[in-house]
Amino acid sequence: MSVDGPLGYDQWTVAQQFDPFRPFYRVKFKDRDGTVLYVSARSGDVLQRTTFTERAWNWCGANIHWIYFSALRINWAAWNEVVWWLSLIGLLVASAGVWLGVVRLMAVRRTAKKGLTPFRGWLGWHHRIGLFCGAFVLTWIFSGWLSMDHGRVFSTGNASVGQVSRLKGMPLRAIAEATSLASIRTAGPASQILIDAIAGHPFLVAQGAGSPKLSWAEPLSISVSTRIPESLLIAGVKAGWPGLPVSTSQNVRDDSLYSFAESMPADTVMFHVGGARAIDVYVNSITGSLVTVMDPSRRAYEWVFYALHTFKFPGLAARPFLRHIAVLGPLLAGFLFCVTAIVIGVSRLRLTLHYR
C-alpha cells in the first residue's frame, strides 16, 4: 500500500460534490483489483473507491460521454458551457439529418417507387434505420442536452436562501447557542450528529448507529423521536411561504418519478403550497432539510429530461425487466444507426483524400 497527497483534484475526484471534503489522500492498494481509495484530509471520510476495471471502463464510457476530463472538469463553469453547447450542436445536426431523411422518403413516395429509400448499400441502411429510430435518437439527445440545463430554460428546484432561513426559523448561531453540550452527549452513539432547526425549534439527529434518532434541544411534548412532527413541518413550510395555504403532508413513494429524478431520501414528505402557481415542497422529515421545490416548470423538466432519458416512467420503473427491454431495443437500433453513419463517413473521407 502507498499513500500520496493531499491532492486537490485528480481524474476520479473532479465532481463538485467532493468540494467540501478536499483535499484528498490517495491510498493505493497492491491487490489484484488495483483498488484506490480517496480519504478526505478534512474529515477522514473515505469518499471514493475505484478499481482498475472501473477506471478502464470509465475511460471508454463516462469520461467520454460527459467530457469528464480533469483538465476541463475542474472548472465547472467552463465544463458546463462546453458540454451544453456541444450537446446543442449535436441536437441541431441530428435534427437536420432526420429532416433530410424524411425529405428523401417523401421524394420516393412521390415517384411511386417501391421501398423506403432511393439509396443502396450502407447509405440505404442508414436511411432505413434512421426513419425508424430517428425520433428516439432525437429525444435521447434532447433529454441528454437538458441534463445540462441548470436553470437556463427550466427552474432548478432549489428554494431561495430566504425560504430556507424562514423554514428553519432561526440562524445557525442561535441554533448552536441553543444546543447544549449535555444534549449532544445524550444524543446517543453515532458517527455523525446533525444540528439544525425547524420552525424555530432546534434539534439534533444522531446518525450511524442503527436508525437515526432525533432529539430536541429544548423541552417539547416529544423529547425523542424518529421523525419531526408533522405540525412543526407544516409550521416551517408556512413560514417559508408566508400567506399561502399549506396542505397536510403526504409520504413520497420510493418508485415515483419525482423521487427518482431528485434522489429523494426515503423519509421525504410533500406539502402542497397553494397560490397562483401551485407548488409542491418536499422536506426530509428526519433532518428538516428542503429536498426540492417542484413548480410547474420543474415538473415539466422531470418529464422531458429524466423520464425521457431513463425510461423510468410511472408503471415502467417498477418493472425493471420490461424497462430494460424498452431501453435496450431503441439503444441497439441507435447503435446500428451510428455504425452505418461511421462507415459512410469513413468511406467519404477516404474518397476525398484519394482524389486530392
Side-chain angles (χ1 to χ4, degrees):
M1 184 179 73
S2 63
V3 180
D4 58 334
L7 308 169
Y9 293 87
D10 80 349
Q11 181 62 47
W12 312 111
T13 58
V14 291
Q16 64 266 25
Q17 64 260 32
F18 294 118
D19 289 348
F21 304 95
R22 302 186 196 279
F24 289 98
Y25 289 104
R26 184 168 53 197
V27 184
K28 298 180 180 179
F29 291 85
K30 296 181 180 179
D31 59 352
R32 63 180 183 179
D33 294 327
T35 304
V36 178
L37 300 181
Y38 292 85
V39 183
S40 171
R42 289 188 176 186
S43 66
D45 292 323
V46 178
L47 271 300
Q48 179 69 294
R49 171 190 175 275
T50 70
T51 64
F52 174 80
T53 302
E54 290 170 341
R55 293 189 294 272
W57 277 113
N58 273 280
W59 277 114
C60 300
N63 291 342
I64 296 174
H65 183 72
W66 292 324
I67 317 180
Y68 242 53
F69 307 110
S70 58
L72 174 64
R73 185 59 181 81
I74 59 176
N75 187 330
W76 186 89
W79 172 79
N80 180 38
E81 292 294 329
V82 167
V83 176
W84 190 84
W85 282 105
L86 286 179
S87 299
L88 178 58
I89 292 170
L91 176 62
L92 295 175
V93 171
S95 300
V98 170
W99 178 76
L100 288 174
V102 173
V103 168
R104 297 295 188 184
L105 173 63
M106 293 298 99
V108 172
R109 297 292 90 188
R110 284 195 297 268
T111 59
K113 292 183 179 179
K114 293 182 179 181
L116 300 174
T117 177
F119 305 113
R120 296 181 179 180
W122 283 102
L123 191 56
W125 281 112
H126 182 72
H127 190 195
R128 293 186 191 95
I129 297 174
L131 289 173
F132 287 100
C133 72
F136 170 76
V137 171
L138 282 183
T139 56
W140 183 263
I141 298 175
F142 174 68
S143 58
W145 172 61
L146 286 180
S147 70
M148 301 300 298
D149 182 68
H150 298 143
R152 289 182 173 93
V153 179
F154 297 91
S155 62
T156 61
N158 297 327
S160 68
V161 174
Q163 289 166 339
V164 174
S165 178
R166 292 193 297 270
L167 178 92
K168 294 177 183 294
M170 56 194 308
L172 179 60
R173 182 172 181 174
I175 297 173
E177 291 174 348
T179 306
S180 65
L181 184 59
S183 64
I184 296 177
R185 287 173 175 167
T186 58
S191 60
Q192 176 179 331
I193 296 178
L194 170 71
I195 301 174
D196 213 324
I198 183 76
H201 297 279
F203 61 87
L204 301 87
V205 180
Q207 298 176 319
S211 300
K213 187 176 75 172
L214 187 149
S215 58
W216 299 92
E218 61 182 27
L220 285 178
S221 58
I222 300 177
S223 57
V224 178
S225 61
T226 58
R227 298 178 63 171
I228 299 173
E230 182 181 298
S231 58
L232 287 183
L233 291 173
I234 292 177
V237 174
K238 285 183 175 180
W241 284 264
L244 297 178
V246 177
S247 70
T248 56
S249 64
Q250 299 178 28
N251 291 324
V252 177
R253 291 179 50 181
D254 294 340
D255 60 349
S256 71
L257 172 66
Y258 300 145
S259 177
F260 282 128
E262 298 290 340
S263 300
M264 295 183 184
D267 295 283
T268 299
V269 292
M270 183 268 286
F271 298 90
H272 188 73
V273 179
R277 298 183 67 201
I279 62 173
D280 294 324
V281 177
Y282 292 80
V283 184
N284 188 322
S285 63
I286 293 179
T287 66
S289 60
L290 274 169
V291 177
T292 191
V293 177
M294 201 75 68
D295 60 9
S297 175
R298 191 66 182 177
R299 293 189 198 99
Y301 178 74
E302 307 298 15
W303 283 95
V304 297
F305 156 56
Y306 191 82
L308 277 180
H309 207 64
T310 65
F311 274 47
K312 288 185 178 180
F313 295 100
L316 195 58
R319 297 172 174 81
F321 179 74
L322 292 179
R323 175 177 166 269
H324 288 161
I325 293 176
V327 171
L328 290 176
L331 282 178
L332 178 60
F335 174 74
L336 295 176
F337 181 67
C338 292
V339 168
T340 60
I342 292 171
V343 172
I344 293 168
V346 171
S347 299
R348 290 291 178 89
L349 182 61
R350 291 177 62 185
L351 285 174
T352 301
L353 295 175
H354 177 74
Y355 287 108
R356 279 191 174 181

